[in-house]
Amino acid sequence: MNNKIQFIDRRDFIKKTGLGVLGLSLAPTLLAKAQANGRLRTAHIGLGAMGMADLDAIASHNAVDVVALCDVDSKMLEKAKALFPNAKTYADYREMLKDMEDGIDAVVVSTPDHTHAPASLMAMKMDKPVYCQKPLTHHVSEAREMKKVAEKKGLITQMGIQVHSFYDYKLATLLIQDGIIGKVHTVRAWSPKNWGTDKPTPTGSDPVPANLDWNLWLGTAPERPFKEGEYHPGNWRKVMDFGCGTLGDMGVHIFDTPYNALQLDVPRTILNETRQPTGYGFPEHNVVTYEFPSTPYTAESLKWVWYDGPGAPSDHPDLKLPNGEKLPDQGAMFMGEKGRLLLPHFQQLPRLIVDGKYQEMDIEKFNLGKPVKDYDAESKKHYHQFVDACLGRGECTAPFSYAARLTETILLGVIAGRFPNQTLHWDSKKAKFAEKEANQYLTGKYRKF
């Protein structure tokens, strides 16, 4: 591997790799053929823990043929190949997409966060529908680019936030929009997960395992030596160059329902109360406060507070439960004119709290059927929705037009962590912060690899 680090501008990368938008293509020929014969040929990029879960869920649809598998780790690739022996295998997603362009109908991207956009955009340029894991991208600029490409090409897209299709989350959305607690003025959401680290950048290097192509794993990210146990396979979420911390992991899931129910756009201000940045890993604790403009379901403005890290959330009167009960490990609380709505994460029904007491709710009127208590069955609905949409049998509920806005909101909070205890002001139309020093983190330089 060349030890000299080379960087190119994101726009130049898109131009040189053919990822620019080349006009409108509402009915790609290959997808039309897939719809005609009722089968969908899928290619899968990234086969780690989440990648294998995605592969299993997509392949469980009876109209799917898995035809291509890609991972930079040969052990992970072999494991997936054993399940789908007829699929072609690759280490480099670029090679796979070029080689299989005429043989695949849709692409599933389940890599670490920093590769979501490069892989997805290349597939989208080839008119391929894309299912991409959350958070949609590593940078705000990438989220906007993916939304733009998807809309201009009329592509079917879905972000991997499976809970979006769960009964309890759909019910909470309907309850809020039905006015069960009136207009909402505050949301508090939390997760005690710790995708952060306070240690400095590792020094030295370790031998790269024979099964891993380290250059391809790094992809467009800055070059660095391999260190055992630091990045691959499980700790990259903690590192700024590769992941988005706890906010980018659990925040996307837990933000999703309040964000969707209240029909929010992106925030006006963001404040992250956390430690000073180290330049390597994300903080172990974050308290992020957003202010959103009003919507038909909110007060004149909406305050949103996110807590993460061990011990989260902090004590607050808004989060006190009846009968001295403990809060669920992860979840969200809506505060409105008429009361509060607690939404645990996940597989628990929302609960209405008025004047410090739980209240019964009329949920039959929403005609949602009975809740599904089987996590795997509920999770697969979200994936199958994507397959069915590709085959012309419905629509996706978490397309990139929605996912990009939600991801942008999350990433603005991540950026605010680089400016602890300082309120940042976001101009959505200009896609810029008023605080100029923060704008450098909206995009990244892509390394040639």
Side-chain angles (χ1 to χ4, degrees), residues 270-411:
I270 312 98
L271 169 68
N272 191 338
E273 299 171 79
T274 189
R275 60 131 166 94
Q276 291 295 319
T278 65
Y280 172 67
F282 293 102
E284 295 189 352
H285 296 87
N286 296 271
V287 179
V288 186
T289 302
Y290 298 91
E291 181 200 354
F292 290 89
S294 65
T295 78
Y297 303 105
T298 71
E300 291 184 3
S301 65
L302 177 80
K303 180 180 180 180
W304 185 309
V305 186
W306 165 260
Y307 311 84
D308 69 36
S314 303
D315 289 335
H316 194 279
D318 287 346
L319 300 176
K320 185 178 180 180
L321 297 185
N323 311 317
E325 291 182 13
K326 290 185 178 180
L327 283 171
D329 190 44
Q330 303 180 94
M333 182 80 82
F334 300 78
M335 274 66 69
E337 301 165 310
K338 304 176 184 178
R340 295 178 289 158
L341 188 72
L342 171 66
L343 179 60
H345 179 78
F346 57 82
Q347 300 251 297
Q348 298 179 57
L349 294 179
R351 304 192 72 180
L352 175 63
I353 305 170
V354 178
D355 295 330
K357 298 179 181 179
Y358 289 121
Q359 303 292 323
E360 294 296 322
M361 298 182 293
D362 179 13
I363 62 176
E364 298 299 326
K365 65 180 180 179
F366 297 117
N367 195 30
L368 282 175
K370 295 182 179 179
V372 177
K373 292 303 180 184
D374 180 352
Y375 171 74
D376 289 334
E378 284 231 304
S379 180
K380 285 175 181 175
K381 288 192 301 186
H382 193 70
Y383 295 93
H384 289 191
Q385 186 183 86
F386 171 71
V387 175
D388 288 336
C390 289
L391 294 173
R393 303 171 187 168
E395 298 179 351
C396 292
T397 56
F400 292 174
S401 56
Y402 168 77
R405 299 197 325 270
L406 174 58
T407 297
E408 180 173 317
T409 296
I410 294 290
L411 295 180

Side-chain angles (χ1 to χ4, degrees), residues 231-252:
Y231 315 114
H232 177 78
N235 288 318
W236 52 266
R237 289 191 189 277
K238 298 180 179 182
V239 183
M240 288 181 170
D241 283 345
F242 310 125
C244 299
T246 307
L247 184 56
D249 178 33
M250 294 311 303
V252 183

Side-chain angles (χ1 to χ4, degrees), residues 209-229:
N211 55 289
L212 178 65
D213 189 317
W214 180 235
N215 179 55
L216 291 179
W217 190 94
L218 286 171
T220 58
E223 190 169 357
R224 68 174 67 225
F226 175 80
K227 285 290 292 181
E228 186 70 34

